[in-house]
Structure formats: C-alpha cells, structure tokens
Amino acid sequence: MHDLIVVGAGLAGLALAARAQEAGQDVAVIEARSRIGGRSLVHRTASGCYDLGPAWIWPAMQPRVARAAAALGLRLYRQADEGGFVFQDSDGTAQRLPHGFTQEPPSMRIEGGIAALAEGFAARLAPGTIRLGTRVERLVLESDAVGVETGAAALRARRVALALPPRLAATIGFAPALPAASLRQFEAVPTWMAGHAKALAIYDAPVWRASGLSGGAFSRCGPLGEIHDASLPGAAGEAALFGFFAWPAAMRAARRARLEDAVRAQLASLFGPAAGSPRALLIQDWSTDELTATPADAPPLAGHPAYAPLALPAPWRDRVLLSGSESAPEFGGYLEGALAAAEAAAAMNAQHGGGLPAAGVAAGR
Ligand SMILES: Cc1cc2nc3c(=O)[nH]c(=O)nc-3n(C[C@H](O)[C@H](O)[C@H](O)COP(=O)(O)OP(=O)(O)OC[C@H]3O[C@@H](n4cnc5c(N)ncnc54)[C@H](O)[C@@H]3O)c2cc1C
C-alpha cells in the first residue's frame, strides 16, 4: 500500500509528489496521458520549445513560481514587445500603431519552455514513481485506505490527492458516491483557459520586424484575438508568433476545416503577406482535450474566476484531497496556483497525520 497516490502529473501533482517523497513517503503518481505536464505543453523544434499551453509567469507577484524557477536554475526572459502594434477592428480593418503594447508587470517566459518547471519536479522523483497512460476511473473508500481503480490495475493508498481540475474530479467514480451537491459544486468550477485555443506560427525569420512591428496585435474580428511574438531567444533561422483564438470553442468546431486558412489570412492582413506563409502552423485547442476540458468549459468566461479551496465531504475528506490549481487557496487557475495548491495539500496531509511537512513544497528543494 502507498502512503500517497497523486492523480495527475501536472505541475501541481508533481510538486506535491516530490515533497511527499522527499519526506519519506511511499508515493505513486498516476497520469492518464502518455506525458507529464498536463496543461504545460510544448512543441519542440531543433531550436527549442514553444509553449502551447501556459507561457507567462510574473515572478514579482508569484513567489512560489519564482522560487521554483530559481531553484531549478531556469533562465527567464521578457515577453518581446518592442516595435509597433497592430489593432484590427471588427470589420477587419488593421491599424498599425507606432508604439508597442507593454504588459505591466512584464510577462516573463522560461527558456526551454514552461514545461521545464514540471520536468524539474519530476526529475526529483525516484524512478518508477510516475505511471503514464493510466487513467484513474474510480476511488473506493476502505476502512484504512482508498482503493484507486484504473482500467488495468487496482492500487491502494492511505491518502489520495486529486491534482486535477474539480470538473475532472467530478468525472471520477466514487464508492460510496459523492453527494449530488458536491458534484454540482465541483462541476461549477471553471477550468482556467480550458475553453481556449492557441495558434503557433513558425517562420524562417521574424518577418514582422522588417516593418518595425513587434508581432503584437489585438483583433476584434478574429480568428485570433491577441497575438504576440513567440520567438525563442538566440534561435538563429527561426522565429514565431502565437495567438489566442477570439473565436469561441463552438465557432472553432463549426469552422474546423478552414481554421488554419483563416489564421494564415489574418496573419497576412496584420503583418504583411510573408506572415501568411509560416513554415509550420500548429493549433492547440484545449476545449477538445478531454483531460483538461469538459463541455461546460466551452462557453467563454467573462473574466478570471474567483477560485477558493475545495474539500470533499465526509467520509472522504480525511482520505482524498483536491490539489489542482483550481482548488488553490490563492492564484487559483495559474501555475502559481498549482504550486499553492500543492503546498496546501501538503499542509493538510501533515495535519491529518500523513507526515508531510506543511511548508516548502514550492521551494524547489
Ligand atoms: C492555453 C492556456 C494558457 C495558459 N496560460 C497561462 C499562463 O500564461 N500563466 C499561468 O500561470 N497559467 C496559465 N494557464 C493555466 C495553467 O496551465 C494551469 O494553472 C496549470 O497548468 C495547472 O496545473 P495543474 O497541475 O493544476 O493541472 P493540469 O496541468 O491540468 O494537470 C492535471 C493532470 O491530471 C491528469 N488527469 C486528469 N484526469 C485524470 C484521471 N482521471 N486519471 C489520471 N490523470 C488524470 C491530466 O492529464 C493532467 O496531466 C494556461 C492554460 C492554458 C490551457
């Protein structure tokens, strides 16, 4: 029997698992995907890694991410924003403004891609700790343990941490069943950015800079609503743009066959004809990723939700913790929230006699 089974090898799950194992616990991490990182997903080329999920951190405001990045020796660089900015109106008219659009505080990127954070925590785990390609289907409460059922195996642990969005926790079977009110509560928590999609366009050169543009743009007509330079520092012979879709999930689904053409046409109209012919164009639609989004995540959100810690009801409360970013005590939904949630889960585990130190999960130690 394990001391702790962590369900989900995103940043939250890996941060919690690393700390628990370093405290001497017998830990297993169960991950449905064939890779670690969860929403931290990168596209690799010979030049480096481009972020298809989260890309930005704000170390001045986010102490856990800042500490973890520093402890892992990760190098940060500022989101490129020098040069002119393009504003596209709802009728498609593009206006080139001479000034950049500067984010305040500046958004910072991680050299090597954002997944380096999750990979750093995973590297601290003993070989064999993470089981990939294993989806947890049902939790069974026993007198002194929790049974964790996957398609292929049944595992047991004294405690389980669900390091995933509450909406996905609600899709797991519970025996005895969770009260309907708890399921409704979990289903009501939006998964941050789960309804979104990103486009990544890779070029041989930063063709937008030739016209004095930063690669930054806002559009009221789409398909992309916000575009930024995604070029990797020091990558010779390669440059990139990325954009968030303004078209909501339902519109993207209806226009799927023409989505790439629409993106190419928009990039050309904003940054000039050469921008319409990237070497590669990738679209990562998170709303169709069933290990991130549920159908409830498809409608656009009005803003960042007010997340709050969540707990399972008795008799589950002492045995199963919710520890994904959307259950964090602060910065819910963000990478910082993933580390805050891991920290809080460690504290709860220690409180309930799990032997985990309460502090320092995100200290990168
Ligand atoms: C497009 C996009 C842009 C974003 N931009 C930013 C940004 O710039 N800055 C920022 O701070 N945050 C950003 N975010 C949010 C950030 O990605 C999340 O806060 C963070 O990744 C959450 O980590 P997590 O470990 O809590 O969850 P996840 O990364 O979602 O990990 C959950 C894991 O659980 C696994 N899983 C699910 N169900 C099961 C099951 N039944 N059995 C086994 N495994 C299961 C999943 O496969 C996944 O690996 C963005 C997200 C997206 C999608």
Side-chain angles (χ1 to χ4, degrees), residues 22-118:
E22 284 160 9
Q25 288 206 325
D26 178 336
V27 180
V29 180
I30 313 290
E31 168 56 51
R33 300 179 201 266
S34 57
R35 62 168 180 85
I36 63 164
R39 276 169 275 176
S40 296
L41 172 66
V42 294
H43 170 69
R44 288 173 205 278
T45 71
S47 301
C49 293
Y50 295 98
D51 294 306
L52 295 174
W56 294 327
I57 59 171
W58 299 272
M61 301 190 307
Q62 299 183 332
R64 297 171 186 84
V65 163
R67 279 200 303 272
L72 291 166
L74 302 178
R75 290 219 301 247
L76 308 184
Y77 62 101
R78 193 187 161 118
Q79 168 65 51
D81 57 9
E82 280 173 22
F85 189 80
V86 186
F87 177 77
Q88 187 176 35
D89 223 329
S90 48
D91 64 1
T93 314
Q95 196 189 349
R96 292 187 175 186
L97 308 171
H99 320 289
F101 173 78
T102 308
Q103 294 173 322
E104 215 36 72
S107 301
M108 303 299 288
R109 291 170 163 274
I110 293 180
E111 262 189 51
I114 217 88
L117 276 176

Side-chain angles (χ1 to χ4, degrees), residues 7-13 30-33 35 37-40 52-58 62 134-137 163-165 168 172 192-194 196 198 244 286 291-292 323-326 333-336 338:
V7 183
L11 181 60
I30 313 290
E31 168 56 51
R33 300 179 201 266
R35 62 168 180 85
R39 276 169 275 176
S40 296
L52 295 174
W56 294 327
I57 59 171
W58 299 272
Q62 299 183 332
T134 308
R135 188 168 187 156
V136 170
E137 293 172 355
L164 38 79
L168 293 187
I172 294 175
W192 183 232
M193 299 299 285
H196 279 263
K198 264 186 167 183
F244 297 100
W286 289 94
L291 290 169
T292 297
S323 60
S325 181
E326 282 76 16
Y334 293 111
L335 296 160
E336 177 76 5

Side-chain angles (χ1 to χ4, degrees), residues 18-363:
R19 187 61 179 173
Q21 200 169 71
E22 284 160 9
Q25 288 206 325
D26 178 336
V27 180
V29 180
I30 313 290
E31 168 56 51
R33 300 179 201 266
S34 57
R35 62 168 180 85
I36 63 164
R39 276 169 275 176
S40 296
L41 172 66
V42 294
H43 170 69
R44 288 173 205 278
T45 71
S47 301
C49 293
Y50 295 98
D51 294 306
L52 295 174
W56 294 327
I57 59 171
W58 299 272
M61 301 190 307
Q62 299 183 332
R64 297 171 186 84
V65 163
R67 279 200 303 272
L72 291 166
L74 302 178
R75 290 219 301 247
L76 308 184
Y77 62 101
R78 193 187 161 118
Q79 168 65 51
D81 57 9
E82 280 173 22
F85 189 80
V86 186
F87 177 77
Q88 187 176 35
D89 223 329
S90 48
D91 64 1
T93 314
Q95 196 189 349
R96 292 187 175 186
L97 308 171
H99 320 289
F101 173 78
T102 308
Q103 294 173 322
E104 215 36 72
S107 301
M108 303 299 288
R109 291 170 163 274
I110 293 180
E111 262 189 51
I114 217 88
L117 276 176
E119 285 159 5
F121 283 104
R124 288 162 44 181
L125 296 172
T129 301
I130 306 174
R131 295 185 192 205
L132 296 174
T134 308
R135 188 168 187 156
V136 170
E137 293 172 355
R138 200 165 81 116
L139 301 182
V140 181
L141 193 61
E142 302 170 5
S143 57
D144 61 343
V146 181
V148 178
E149 296 180 359
T150 71
L155 308 165
R156 293 175 79 232
R158 286 195 302 118
R159 187 161 289 123
V160 169
L162 297 176
L164 38 79
R167 277 185 176 159
L168 293 187
T171 67
I172 294 175
F174 287 80
L178 289 186
S182 296
L183 289 175
R184 278 199 301 276
Q185 187 191 14
F186 297 166
E187 284 163 359
V189 179
T191 303
W192 183 232
M193 299 299 285
H196 279 263
K198 264 186 167 183
L200 173 71
I202 303 177
Y203 302 87
D204 294 335
V207 291
W208 49 96
R209 286 186 203 154
S211 345
L213 296 171
S214 65
F218 280 158
S219 170
R220 284 196 174 137
C221 65
L224 303 177
E226 184 179 335
I227 300 167
H228 299 275
D229 189 315
S231 305
L232 303 173
E238 197 167 283
L241 295 172
F242 88 89
F244 297 100
F245 276 83
W247 289 359
M251 193 186 287
R252 296 196 299 270
R255 303 180 182 186
R256 185 153 335 274
R258 287 169 288 136
L259 216 47
E260 293 194 0
D261 286 346
V263 170
R264 286 192 193 92
Q266 184 188 23
L267 292 174
S269 74
L270 297 176
F271 301 112
S277 303
R279 181 203 295 171
L281 177 64
L282 285 88
I283 294 177
Q284 172 66 27
D285 193 333
W286 289 94
S287 73
T288 62
D289 173 19
E290 60 158 11
L291 290 169
T292 297
T294 71
D297 290 302
L301 298 175
H304 192 90
Y307 291 108
L310 287 170
L312 273 77
W316 288 97
R317 180 175 292 139
D318 291 344
R319 293 276 171 202
V320 178
L321 309 172
L322 276 169
S323 60
S325 181
E326 282 76 16
S327 312
E330 56 178 354
F331 298 101
Y334 293 111
L335 296 160
E336 177 76 5
L339 295 180
E343 192 174 276
M348 278 187 270
N349 205 19
Q351 216 175 49
H352 291 281
L356 286 182
V361 170

